[in-house]
Amino acid sequence: MSETKVFLLPDLGEGLTEAELVNWLVAVGDEIRVDQPIAEVETAKSMVEVPSPYAGTVAVLHGEPGQTLDVGKPLISVTPIGSEVAEPVESKAPMVEPVETEPAASVAAETYRDEEKAGSGNVLIGYGTPGGHGIARRTRTRKQAAVGVVESGVAASTVTEAEKAADDLLLLRTRVPGKLGAVISPLVRRMARDHGVDLGGLQGSGASGLIMRKDVEAAIAPAPAVEPRRVVEPAETRRPRLEPRSAVESVETGAETDSRTGLGVTARTPLRGVRKAVAVNMTRSRSEIPEATVWVDVDATALVEMRAALKKTDPHNTPGLLAFIARFVTAGLKKYPALNTRIVTTEDAAGGESQEIVAFDGVNLGFAAQTDRGLMVPSVRNADKMSARELDAEIRRLTAVVREGNATPSELGSGTFTLNNYGVFGVDGSAAIINHPEVGILGVGRIIDKPWVVNGEVAVRKVTELTLTFDHRVCDGGAAGGFLRYVADAIENPGSVLTDM
């Protein structure tokens, strides 16, 4: 008799240690297939659907919606189809320990774990989940059928032992030979195998050459579509779907009184998810980084007029003002590279701490984006190699991705310097907190009409304020002031600067 398999919560990307269970997509007693989404979890960076690496019957759900789960702890227990299944067990029951499987399966599992540790660059390591393009698999419609009956009235078919073994072996490989990053799901790989499609010669339409289901379906057309196996969901164990919470969710407390102020407490808001991650990072930044701030008022009239002229000739492809400023920032970081570094602390041979400044060959420019889930800082990778128009397109794409909650860890955690446009909130300046472990952040205030002296006369000009907060450990005021002045001069004389870029 096959033993119950326990699926441990995987590392959802780049060192995250926990995730909050938002919603179960399956219930105890459901039959699931390989790569089927089983739960929605929220990390400090994004909302993710977790797919199952096993096919079978759900035996135990290890957690309740709203509970924070540690990476490496049991998420779900699955009993292979055909095995004797005990009565449905509530999630509070004792955990089912992972057991040893047959030698071939053990080798497969070990290979799978090795690949998981190595990382695939996707949100879920080794599962072929598309990364960072805002396309999430939707959950199937809940059916209200009785147990053991499908919509057509035909009994649900069972998976053979051979099919189960094939599903396990599919976990051995998650990459197409010779195609780095062309990660596909076991479900898609199996479809290709069943229809004789050579994945090595198939061009994927997804990110980084990701081979999608539609790519395989196109390769096997015009073969008739195979009717997917319907899966019955027990009505009595089905859990209602919970809508994802906003970043701030208050819990009413009743007639509680605060002992310090004597005032009634109206609500308590748990610090979790994105808000918790922001709090931890900002606290670390302020406690570790000896920051200093410099600022300057800038006449942005020439930049505003230049963009207006470009918009008249090409209204649909003219970059926004932020994209032009981003281009000036990347050029300034090339000129003052100390602000595009990172301080790394290591343990020396004597057991003490040693620090070094790490410089980078290129700029990953982060920018602050306000979302319903809180403040996010996606980064434009290799921004120093992009034109203003390319930067504009990437900034717009990443803004949409983070607001949908589909940004990948690499899109959120790879910045080397941050640009913060707080002018959209109608403010002029801010003593910003550096996005640890970076060493600098440049803020841009609102652009408003102000009196300005031009050629000895007072005129009304478009003025903004630039504020640079920097880590005083990596550079002194000379470099910080030089960088700030370079960006300011570029905004005031954009034509002359752009000709040299």
Side-chain angles (χ1 to χ4, degrees):
M1 176 173 59
S2 298
E3 299 289 348
T4 297
K5 298 179 179 179
V6 180
F7 175 40
L8 307 181
L9 180 65
D11 179 356
L12 301 175
E14 297 194 1
L16 294 178
T17 59
E18 63 182 19
E20 183 178 342
L21 178 60
V22 175
N23 185 51
W24 284 112
L25 305 180
V26 296
V28 173
D30 286 1
E31 290 185 10
I32 60 175
R33 61 185 182 276
V34 172
D35 207 39
Q36 176 180 330
I38 55 175
E40 286 181 326
V41 299
E42 182 180 19
T43 70
K45 298 183 177 181
S46 59
M47 188 83 70
V48 179
E49 284 186 347
V50 182
S52 171
Y54 305 126
T57 303
V58 177
V60 182
L61 302 178
H62 298 280
E64 296 290 339
Q67 181 179 348
T68 298
L69 306 176
D70 293 330
V71 170
K73 298 298 184 181
L75 177 65
I76 189 173
S77 295
V78 179
T79 301
I81 295 177
S83 301
E84 295 182 5
V85 183
E87 292 297 320
V89 184
E90 293 298 326
S91 60
K92 294 181 181 180
M95 295 181 181
V96 180
E97 294 296 329
V99 297
E100 294 296 327
T101 57
E102 298 176 3
S106 299
V107 174
E110 187 62 34
T111 303
Y112 173 73
R113 285 192 291 270
D114 289 342
E115 289 193 355
E116 184 177 88
K117 292 176 182 177
S120 66
N122 288 285
V123 176
L124 287 178
I125 301 173
Y127 296 123
T129 304
H133 290 270
I135 302 175
R137 288 179 296 187
R138 310 311 309 158
T139 58
R140 60 185 184 278
T141 304
R142 297 286 187 181
K143 298 184 285 293
Q144 300 299 324
V147 179
V149 181
V150 295
E151 293 177 355
S152 62
V154 181
S157 59
T158 59
V159 181
T160 65
E161 290 295 328
E163 288 176 320
K164 289 196 282 100
D167 285 338
D168 288 339
L169 290 177
L170 285 172
L171 299 178
L172 275 169
R173 296 290 300 277
T174 57
R175 296 173 177 81
V176 179
K179 289 190 175 183
L180 181 62
V183 184
I184 62 174
S185 74
L187 189 63
V188 175
R189 185 181 298 283
R190 183 176 183 182
M191 176 187 293
R193 182 198 64 194
D194 291 344
H195 291 84
V197 176
D198 180 13
L199 293 175
L202 196 61
Q203 179 62 41
S205 61
S208 301
L210 180 73
I211 299 177
M212 313 292 288
R213 181 185 183 119
K214 63 182 179 180
D215 299 323
V216 177
E217 289 176 340
I220 63 179
V226 179
E227 183 68 20
R229 179 182 294 110
R230 298 173 184 261
V231 179
V232 180
E233 299 187 9
E236 66 274 14
T237 60
R238 187 177 301 113
R239 300 173 187 268
R241 177 182 176 84
L242 303 179
E243 292 299 323
R245 291 182 307 275
S246 61
V248 178
E249 177 187 339
S250 300
V251 178
E252 295 184 1
T253 59
E256 181 183 354
T257 301
D258 179 54
S259 60
R260 178 176 178 274
T261 63
L263 299 176
V265 177
T266 59
R268 291 183 179 274
T269 304
L271 195 62
R272 58 192 178 193
V274 173
R275 178 51 50 195
K276 178 180 178 181
V278 171
V280 170
N281 198 50
M282 295 298 99
T283 301
R284 183 177 183 184
S285 177
R286 272 287 162 89
S287 64
E288 292 185 10
I289 299 177
E291 61 189 32
T293 303
V294 291
W295 60 91
V296 64
D297 289 336
V298 181
D299 179 5
T301 305
L303 179 60
V304 173
E305 291 177 347
M306 183 191 75
R307 182 179 181 275
L310 292 173
K311 197 169 181 63
K312 287 182 179 179
T313 59
D314 192 359
H316 301 295
N317 295 309
T318 301
L321 290 174
L322 185 63
F324 282 112
I325 296 175
R327 187 65 190 90
F328 301 150
V329 168
T330 58
L333 291 174
K334 286 291 187 181
K335 193 173 183 66
Y336 298 93
L339 291 167
N340 189 52
T341 60
R342 178 180 304 162
I343 286 188
V344 176
T345 302
T346 57
E347 184 176 335
D348 58 26
E353 289 187 351
S354 63
Q355 292 183 323
E356 57 184 3
I357 299 175
V358 179
F360 304 104
D361 180 19
V363 177
N364 288 351
L365 184 64
F367 63 94
Q370 194 66 39
T371 73
D372 292 339
R373 300 178 62 240
L375 181 67
M376 312 292 281
V377 187
S379 59
V380 179
R381 300 175 71 89
N382 298 309
D384 55 308
K385 297 179 174 61
M386 295 185 179
S387 65
R389 184 172 284 109
E390 291 170 332
L391 285 168
D392 184 73
E394 187 65 1
I395 288 172
R396 292 178 186 276
R397 184 190 73 81
L398 287 171
T399 300
V401 167
V402 296
R403 287 179 176 167
E404 292 169 358
N406 295 319
T408 64
S410 62
E411 289 172 327
L412 291 172
S414 60
T416 60
F417 187 90
T418 296
L419 175 62
N420 187 5
N421 178 24
Y422 42 70
V424 296
F425 302 117
V427 297
D428 298 322
S430 170
I433 301 177
I434 296 172
N435 185 25
H436 185 279
E438 298 170 14
V439 297
I441 179 172
L442 178 69
V444 183
R446 60 179 177 165
I447 299 177
I448 59 174
D449 291 338
K450 280 187 176 182
W452 196 267
V453 178
V454 181
N455 297 325
E457 297 182 354
V458 176
V460 177
R461 306 289 285 183
K462 301 290 185 183
V463 178
T464 187
E465 180 180 293
L466 300 181
T467 306
L468 173 67
T469 302
F470 65 99
D471 188 336
H472 224 315
R473 295 175 297 177
V474 301
C475 68
D476 298 320
F483 168 79
L484 186 62
R485 191 66 254 172
Y486 177 90
V487 177
D489 291 342
I491 292 175
E492 292 183 340
N493 301 283
S496 60
V497 174
L498 288 173
T499 56
D500 296 330
M501 292 183 180

